[in-house]
């Protein structure tokens, strides 16, 4: 009875367009009032404990680091370096856009932050050079999804905390899937631009110009090495790395590049605080939600129901992927991971999947939700920063959705793509 009330009330609240965190909290309260599995006191304690966690501290710190890097000129310097080396290729600026998103992903951990930071620079330039507007906006929105797959990744931290999976192993597992998606986007961009006749810039390669660009961006370029190298070398934890990333971004922006003034600092802190507040409310409420599901043995029921549909691993993985893709269309990554990860992980492990592999499957699925309507956060960000109607973005997004689903299929059914590095480091 309690689980039925929980799920039905959540669906009603979401249909009524209630904020996700509030919808999760109220549906949990409704379930508690109709059942006797948990007391309000124990639920409140669980909600507080979920936020009072050292690993979860990485989330607000990575959010702050991403905002500070965007305000401090890091993304612009990375763009200059990529443009010097790859801008002459056919569709060079499109390929450079994907490369910059991949690099920015390695320091921000956020998809929307990547879209905003990179898109604000490349979208006006690409449109001015004659690139089709719908292609440009769809490309930037899709490339921004790499921000949650290449480590560090905020959704991976949330998945690790909610399932007890090693965040460091998840970070390692994200490298090759992220490179796979980035490579597929660059290949498609090259073919599309070749067909449309979009040329790269005509400036000849200059070793001096390349060196000047690299030298100017040296502090930005070594940032991922410091953060990720420190994690994998065991020098500091992912949470400590997030603190170092935020401090490093502040020092670079304020004292080295000198582009982060007091106004920019205040805006970055305010933005990160709003984002963090939203995430933490959802996290606390989702913990209570998951607790009710666990007590009501919903994960076991879901596992049993799926296994009754078919005993084929391939069929069940396809069903899980379809379900996650549909969920991603209507729900943000944070609540989707916190609610569904504890439910679906037992199913995945019963199929013989490693929790790290399933974590990447889940993150990659929900990352596609950034570019699928009606939620499609990356689509809205790309449209907003370019002052364009959403319909224009939607005209160019279909090939990119198909492309990302294709890479998702490879990630799902070729576990070595994800597990090679984690197994190598064991």
């Amino acid at each position: 009875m309690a689980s039925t009330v929980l799920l039905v009330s959540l669906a009603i609240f979401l249909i009524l367009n209630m904020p996700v965190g509030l919808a999760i909290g109220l549906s949990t309260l409704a379930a508690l009032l109709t059942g006797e599995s948990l007391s309000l006191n124990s639920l409140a304690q669980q909600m507080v404990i979920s936020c009072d966690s050292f690993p979860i501290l990485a989330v607000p710190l990575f959010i702050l680091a991403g905002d500070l890097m965007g305000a401090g000129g890091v993304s612009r310097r990375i763009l200059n370096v990529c443009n010097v080396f790859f801008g002459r290729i056919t569709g060079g600026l499109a390929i450079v856009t994907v490369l910059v998103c991949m690099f920015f992903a390695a320091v921000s951990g956020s998809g929307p932050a990547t879209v905003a930071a990179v898109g604000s620079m490349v979208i006006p330039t690409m449109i001015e050079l004659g690139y089709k507007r719908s292609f440009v906006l769809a490309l930037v929105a899709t490339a921004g999804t790499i921000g949650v797959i290449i480590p560090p990744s905020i959704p991976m931290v949330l998945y690790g905390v909610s399932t007890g999976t090693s965040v460091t192993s998840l970070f390692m597992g994200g490298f090759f899937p992220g490179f796979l998606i980035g490579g597929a986007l660059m290949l498609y961009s090259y073919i599309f631009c070749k067909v449309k006749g979009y040329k790269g810039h005509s400036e000849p390669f200059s070793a001096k110009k390349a060196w000047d660009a690299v030298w100017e961006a040296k502090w930005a370029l070594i940032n991922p090495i410091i953060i990720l190298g420190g994690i994998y070398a065991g020098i500091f934890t992912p949470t400590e790395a997030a603190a170092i990333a935020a401090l490093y971004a502040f020092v670079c922006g304020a004292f080295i590049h000198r582009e982060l003034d007091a106004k920019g600092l205040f805006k970055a802190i305010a933005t990160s605080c709003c984002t963090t507040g939203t995430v933490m409310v959802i996290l606390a409420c989702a913990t209570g939600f998951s607790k009710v599901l666990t007590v009501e043995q919903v994960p076991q029921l879901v596992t049993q129901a799926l296994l009754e549909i078919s005993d084929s691993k391939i069929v069940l993985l396809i069903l899980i992927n379809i379900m996650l893709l549909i969920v991603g269309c209507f729900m943000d990554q944070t609540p989707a991971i916190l609610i569904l990860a504890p439910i679906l992980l037992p199913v995945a492990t019963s199929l013989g999947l490693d929790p790290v592999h399933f974590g990447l499957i889940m993150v990659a699925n929900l990352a596609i939700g950034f570019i699928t309507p009606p939620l499609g956060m990356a689509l809205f960000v790309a449209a907003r920063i370019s002052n364009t109607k959403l319909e224009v973005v939607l005209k160019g997004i279909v090939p990119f959705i198909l492309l990302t689903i294709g890479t998702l299929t490879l990630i799902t059914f070729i576990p070595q793509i994800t597990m090679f590095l984690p197994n190598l480091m064991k």
Side-chain angles (χ1 to χ4, degrees):
M1 180 63 182
S3 58
T4 302
V5 172
L6 181 75
L7 297 175
V8 171
S9 59
L10 176 64
I12 293 173
F13 291 143
L14 291 177
I15 292 172
L16 294 175
N17 203 27
M18 185 178 291
V20 176
L22 186 58
I24 296 172
L26 289 178
S27 60
T28 303
L29 180 61
L32 290 177
L33 294 176
T34 56
E36 298 179 355
S37 55
L38 282 174
S39 68
L40 288 176
N41 288 338
S42 64
L43 178 66
Q45 290 173 355
Q46 290 289 334
M47 294 173 68
V48 172
I49 291 171
S50 68
C51 297
D52 186 16
S53 164
F54 183 71
I56 208 68
L57 186 60
V59 174
L61 290 172
F62 273 130
I63 291 172
L64 176 60
D67 289 331
L68 290 174
M69 287 169 190
V74 171
S75 49
R76 178 175 58 81
R77 286 168 171 79
I78 297 172
L79 175 63
N80 290 339
V81 173
C82 294
N83 197 40
V84 167
F85 286 98
F86 301 99
R88 296 180 307 284
I89 304 172
T90 298
L93 196 51
I95 294 173
V96 165
T97 297
V98 179
L99 285 170
V100 175
C101 286
M102 292 174 67
F103 199 97
F104 195 81
V107 292
S108 73
S110 169
T114 303
V115 175
V118 179
S120 59
M121 296 181 300
V122 301
I123 289 174
T125 305
M126 291 181 72
I127 292 174
E128 187 178 331
L129 292 175
Y131 285 80
K132 190 176 180 181
R133 183 179 288 267
S134 59
F135 167 76
V136 172
L137 298 180
L139 173 66
V140 172
T142 307
T145 64
I146 302 174
V148 299
I149 298 174
I150 292 181
S153 165
I154 293 171
M156 288 183 197
V157 174
L158 295 172
Y159 174 87
V161 170
S162 63
T163 62
T165 306
S166 167
V167 175
T168 300
S169 296
L170 288 166
F171 281 4
M172 288 181 180
F175 270 109
F176 287 155
F179 292 155
L180 175 65
I181 296 172
L185 288 176
M186 285 187 280
L187 178 61
Y188 173 78
S189 297
Y190 177 82
I191 295 172
F192 181 88
C193 294
K194 189 79 172 178
V195 172
K196 296 293 183 180
Y198 299 142
K199 306 290 184 181
H201 66 68
S202 58
E203 296 180 16
F205 179 79
S206 167
K208 182 181 183 305
K209 195 169 184 179
W211 171 252
D212 289 342
V214 171
W215 183 255
E216 185 186 11
K218 59 184 180 295
W219 297 107
L221 295 175
I222 65 173
N223 194 1
I225 299 174
I226 295 173
I227 297 170
L228 299 176
I231 294 173
Y232 301 143
I235 299 172
F236 38 73
T237 66
T239 302
E240 292 165 344
I244 291 170
L247 178 61
Y248 187 92
F250 169 71
V251 172
C252 285
F255 301 109
I256 298 176
H257 300 155
R258 297 185 179 180
E259 294 185 17
L260 183 64
D261 55 15
K263 182 179 179 181
L265 176 62
F266 178 80
K267 183 178 180 181
I269 292 174
T271 301
S272 63
C273 284
C274 291
T275 305
T276 299
T278 302
V279 171
M280 298 306 283
V281 168
I282 293 173
L283 172 62
C285 293
T287 299
F289 189 93
S290 300
K291 189 68 175 178
V292 174
L293 292 177
T294 302
V295 171
E296 295 290 319
Q297 297 186 326
V298 172
Q300 292 88 333
L301 294 174
V302 172
T303 302
Q304 183 179 351
L306 287 173
L307 292 176
E308 287 177 355
I309 293 174
S310 172
D311 57 359
S312 169
K313 179 178 178 179
I314 294 176
V315 171
L316 290 175
L317 283 175
I318 291 173
L319 289 175
I320 290 173
N321 277 330
I322 291 173
M323 184 181 75
L324 289 173
L325 287 171
I326 294 173
V327 168
C329 292
F330 299 97
M331 187 177 289
D332 187 50
Q333 245 188 358
T334 298
I337 288 175
L338 294 173
I339 292 172
L340 295 178
I343 296 175
L344 295 178
L345 183 58
V347 182
T349 53
S350 70
L351 298 175
L353 268 68
D354 189 282
V356 173
H357 181 205
F358 181 69
L360 264 296
I361 292 174
M362 192 167 197
V363 171
N365 263 290
L366 296 173
I368 297 175
F370 281 135
I371 58 171
T372 50
L375 186 60
M377 188 182 299
L379 302 177
F380 287 101
V381 174
R384 188 180 71 238
I385 61 179
S386 62
N387 196 25
T388 304
K389 291 183 177 179
L390 182 63
E391 290 80 2
V392 177
V393 191
L394 295 177
K395 287 180 181 178
I397 200 61
V398 173
F400 290 100
I401 293 176
L402 297 176
L403 188 68
T404 50
I405 291 176
T407 57
L408 169 65
T409 303
L410 295 177
I411 294 168
T412 300
F413 294 105
I414 306 178
Q416 291 81 2
I417 295 174
T418 298
M419 297 306 300
F420 177 75
L421 285 179
N423 288 338
L424 191 66
M425 298 299 291
K426 285 182 180 179

